[in-house]
């Protein structure tokens, strides 16, 4: 930032200097040109009066190199010229200053000489006898004048550039010093520029937001640890209790298969819980190592329904699939996980004789996957929390139907990986519809 400020100040200062130099030379040139023309007019008037009184003898007696004096008769023929012989000189009747002098008494003109790099100023006065006396003086052009002043201009330019660099260096340091000394931990007392205040306010807001997020994340970590411990403690206590009874020989022979099945069931529950935790951790990291491909969602939904048909039949639930062949570029395993968890929940939290319908649809902007059930529904105050890890709306029913309490959390994270969002439409006692909206890319 210091470098940019330094460069900006230098460029601005040097640019202003050269523009000012050009303007000053132009203004001064115009001013002195006017002064020289007025002096020439005065000289012409004085010379005209003298010629009227003294005639040709006055002109021949003059010894001046300041200006050129030419005397012209009304026909444009040169009568006298102090710089050249009048014989053989071209007729001046059509010269601008001569035409004006003959018509109005006085005439002026300016003409450039590209070969001599100078400008000629002419002032003509008509005498009483009808002749015209003309005085002319040479004036350098502004750029030839500038060329003649190259050395002083260069000296001034070098000095100006040096001063500009020095001031730019000091100013850039001075401007940036308050920003370099900012204490971002004490923004309220930070002495900065008024223009920086919005930035400091945003930084403060972001810091506060980060602090809140860190506190929320810490709270979620603690809750997650407590929930995992609680969820693992129950099956472990069951396994430990059954195993202890078996090891102590306190179980009747005919009850051994029952206890073994209980140990197996609790073990599988622990394995499922650990697998879901690992899956969530993987999704939290972004799942960048998982391969993406073109996936037929309709075919994937049909496969999911076939896999869940036995569980649905046991619960007295009918499964249905609507829609059409729809492809989506994504991670097949995660898309299957979304469908499986939504359908599995729709079966578990349904009523006997109810139904589950999966609908696959597309719009110009998105691919839609919806899972509808005729189950118990979700109270509106609970709908914002159902994606939290281990959160259960009906805890007693959740324990009865099983599950790890992580299914919808996995669905949410899998949707995030695909830049999708989830919408819920639920009425208590009538059913719930989950709609996952995948944006078209």
């Amino acid at each position: 930032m210091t470098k940019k400020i330094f460069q900006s100040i230098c460029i601005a200062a040097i640019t202003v200097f050269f523009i000012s130099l050009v303007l000053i030379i132009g203004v001064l040139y115009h001013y002195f040109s006017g002064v020289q023309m007025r002096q020439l007019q005065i000289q012409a008037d004085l010379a005209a009066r003298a010629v009227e009184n003294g005639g040709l003898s006055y002109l021949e007696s003059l010894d001046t190199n300041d200006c050129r004096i030419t005397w012209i008769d009304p026909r444009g023929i040169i009568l006298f010229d102090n710089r050249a012989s009048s014989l053989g000189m071209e007729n001046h009747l059509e010269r601008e200053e001569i035409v004006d002098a003959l018509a109005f008494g006085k005439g002026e003109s300016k003409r450039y000489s590209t070969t001599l790099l100078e400008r000629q100023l002419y002032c003509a006065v008509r005498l009483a006898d009808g002749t015209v006396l003309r005085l002319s003086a040479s004036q350098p052009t502004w750029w030839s004048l500038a060329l003649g002043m190259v050395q002083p201009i260069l000296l001034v330019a070098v000095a100006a550039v040096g001063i500009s660099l020095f001031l730019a260096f000091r100013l850039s340091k001075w401007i940036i010093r308050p920003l370099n000394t900012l204490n971002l931990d004490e923004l309220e007392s930070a002495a900065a520029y008024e223009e920086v205040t919005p930035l400091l306010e945003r930084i403060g807001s972001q810091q506060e937001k980060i602090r809140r997020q860190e506190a929320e994340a810490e709270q979620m970590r603690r809750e997650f640890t407590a929930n995992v411990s609680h969820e693992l403690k129950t099956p472990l206590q069951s396994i430990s209790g059954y195993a202890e009874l078996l090891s102590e020989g306190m179980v009747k022979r005919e009850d051994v298969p029952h206890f073994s099945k209980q140990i197996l069931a609790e073990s599988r529950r622990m394995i499922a819980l650990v697998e879901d935790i690992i899956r969530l951790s993987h999704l939290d990291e972004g799942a960048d190592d998982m391969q993406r491909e073109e996936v037929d969602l309709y075919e994937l939904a049909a496969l999911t329904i076939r896999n869940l048909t036995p569980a649905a039949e046991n619960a007295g639930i009918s499964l249905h699939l609507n829609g059409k062949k729809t492809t989506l570029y994504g991670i097949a395993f995660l898309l299957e996980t979304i469908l499986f968890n939504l359908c599995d929940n729709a079966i578990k939290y349904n009523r006997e004789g109810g139904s589950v319908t999966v609908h696959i649809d597309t719009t110009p902007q998105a691919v839609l996957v919806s899972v509808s059930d005729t189950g118990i529904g979700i109270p509106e105050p609970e709908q914002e929390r159902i994606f939290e890890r281990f959160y259960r709306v009906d805890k007693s029913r959740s324990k009865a139907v099983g599950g790890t309490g992580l299914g919808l959390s996995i669905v949410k994270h899998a949707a995030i990986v695909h830049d999708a969002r989830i919408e819920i439409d639920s009425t208590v006692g009538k059913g719930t519809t989950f709609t996952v909206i995948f944006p078209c890319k």
Side-chain angles (χ1 to χ4, degrees):
M1 186 173 180
T2 304
K3 184 178 180 181
K4 288 186 177 180
I5 294 175
F6 174 78
Q7 291 176 343
S8 299
I9 295 175
C10 283
I11 293 172
I14 294 171
T15 302
V16 169
F17 167 74
F18 281 107
I19 291 176
S20 301
L21 183 64
V22 172
L23 290 176
I24 290 171
I25 291 176
V27 170
L28 289 178
Y29 182 78
H30 179 74
Y31 171 76
F32 287 115
S33 177
V35 171
Q36 189 174 5
M37 178 60 80
R38 286 193 294 273
Q39 291 177 342
L40 195 62
Q41 290 173 350
I42 294 172
Q43 291 176 343
D45 287 336
L46 292 175
R49 302 289 82 81
V51 170
E52 285 180 340
N53 294 326
L56 182 62
S57 59
Y58 168 77
L59 293 175
E60 292 176 344
S61 66
L62 285 177
D63 183 15
T64 178
N65 294 319
D66 294 339
C67 60
R68 183 176 183 178
I69 302 175
T70 307
W71 191 17
I72 307 157
D73 75 359
R75 297 170 297 172
I77 298 173
I78 306 301
L79 300 176
F80 173 83
D81 191 292
N82 68 336
R83 296 283 180 85
S85 173
S86 61
L87 297 176
M89 294 183 67
E90 64 180 5
N91 192 285
H92 281 41
L93 188 61
E94 295 182 358
R95 301 290 175 91
E96 179 183 354
E97 67 277 8
I98 303 301
V99 172
D100 290 343
L102 290 173
F104 308 108
K106 287 187 177 182
E108 297 176 0
S109 68
K110 301 173 183 178
R111 288 192 285 274
Y112 287 93
S113 173
T114 55
T115 55
L116 299 177
L117 297 180
E118 61 183 15
R119 183 171 69 164
Q120 292 292 328
L121 305 181
Y122 297 93
C123 182
V125 178
R126 187 183 62 196
L127 305 183
D129 59 1
T131 60
V132 175
L133 184 69
R134 185 187 71 177
L135 272 67
S136 67
S138 61
Q139 181 186 45
T141 57
W142 71 268
W143 49 278
S144 65
L145 183 64
L147 287 175
M149 297 175 62
V150 167
Q151 185 174 359
I153 289 176
L154 285 178
L155 291 175
V156 173
V158 169
V161 170
I163 294 172
S164 298
L165 292 175
F166 174 75
L167 292 177
F169 177 77
R170 296 298 299 271
L171 284 173
S172 60
K173 291 287 186 181
W174 179 75
I175 291 171
I176 207 69
R177 186 180 297 116
L179 300 180
N180 289 333
T181 57
L182 277 178
N183 186 352
L184 296 181
D185 295 325
E186 298 179 2
L187 293 177
E188 296 81 5
S189 59
Y193 300 107
E194 181 180 351
E195 293 80 3
V196 185
T197 301
L199 174 62
L200 296 180
E201 291 176 351
R202 290 190 63 183
I203 292 175
S205 175
Q206 289 293 329
Q207 288 180 336
E208 181 61 27
K209 184 178 180 180
I210 290 172
R211 283 193 289 266
R212 288 198 304 267
Q213 289 177 343
E214 288 177 346
E216 290 167 4
E218 178 63 19
Q219 181 65 22
M220 290 177 63
R221 185 190 65 78
R222 291 178 180 177
E223 290 179 359
F224 181 72
T225 302
N227 287 329
V228 169
S229 301
H230 175 75
E231 294 292 334
L232 288 175
K233 182 179 180 181
T234 301
L236 282 172
Q237 285 178 335
S238 299
I239 292 172
S240 177
Y242 293 141
E244 184 178 358
L245 290 175
L246 288 171
S247 65
E248 295 293 335
M250 299 175 64
V251 179
K252 296 179 182 180
R253 184 178 294 277
E254 61 270 20
D255 292 332
V256 170
H258 170 72
F259 278 79
S260 298
K261 288 181 180 179
Q262 291 298 320
I263 292 174
L264 178 61
E266 295 297 340
S267 299
R268 287 176 175 172
R269 180 181 169 188
M270 288 180 59
I271 292 171
L273 178 61
V274 171
E275 287 178 345
D276 281 351
I277 292 172
I278 292 173
R279 189 174 294 118
L280 267 176
S281 298
H282 194 185
L283 291 175
D284 283 339
E285 295 173 359
D288 293 332
D289 59 335
M290 304 183 77
Q291 184 177 0
R292 293 178 182 263
E293 57 186 324
E294 291 291 338
V295 180
D296 187 339
L297 289 178
Y298 188 86
E299 182 180 338
L300 197 62
L303 176 62
T304 302
I305 287 177
R306 287 198 296 270
N307 291 336
L308 288 172
T309 295
E313 290 177 348
N314 290 336
I317 307 297
S318 61
L319 300 177
H320 308 279
L321 174 61
N322 297 327
K324 58 185 178 180
K325 177 180 176 67
T326 302
T327 58
L328 178 69
Y329 186 72
I331 302 171
F333 172 72
L334 295 184
L335 296 174
E336 181 183 5
T337 300
I338 291 173
L339 285 164
F340 181 88
N341 281 307
L342 290 179
C343 292
D344 187 46
N345 280 355
I347 294 171
K348 290 177 179 178
Y349 297 96
N350 215 316
R351 55 181 175 80
E352 187 175 357
S355 64
V356 174
T357 302
V358 180
H359 185 73
I360 310 295
D361 198 6
T362 60
T363 68
Q365 293 80 28
V367 174
L368 310 178
V369 176
S370 62
V371 178
S372 304
D373 64 60
T374 58
I376 60 175
I378 305 170
E380 187 172 351
E382 308 281 350
Q383 292 179 13
E384 294 183 358
R385 301 196 60 191
I386 58 174
F387 295 103
E388 295 179 10
R389 300 173 185 188
F390 298 111
Y391 186 81
R392 293 181 172 93
V393 176
D394 187 343
K395 295 178 174 58
S396 60
R397 183 179 179 91
S398 298
K399 293 293 184 181
V401 299
T404 63
L406 297 174
L408 286 180
S409 292
I410 293 174
V411 169
K412 175 186 174 182
H413 283 73
I416 291 173
V417 169
H418 290 87
D419 297 325
R421 71 178 192 276
I422 304 174
E423 293 182 354
I424 307 172
D425 183 13
S426 182
T427 303
V428 176
K430 293 185 178 181
T432 302
T433 298
F434 285 88
T435 303
V436 186
I437 304 172
F438 298 90
C440 293
K441 296 182 179 180

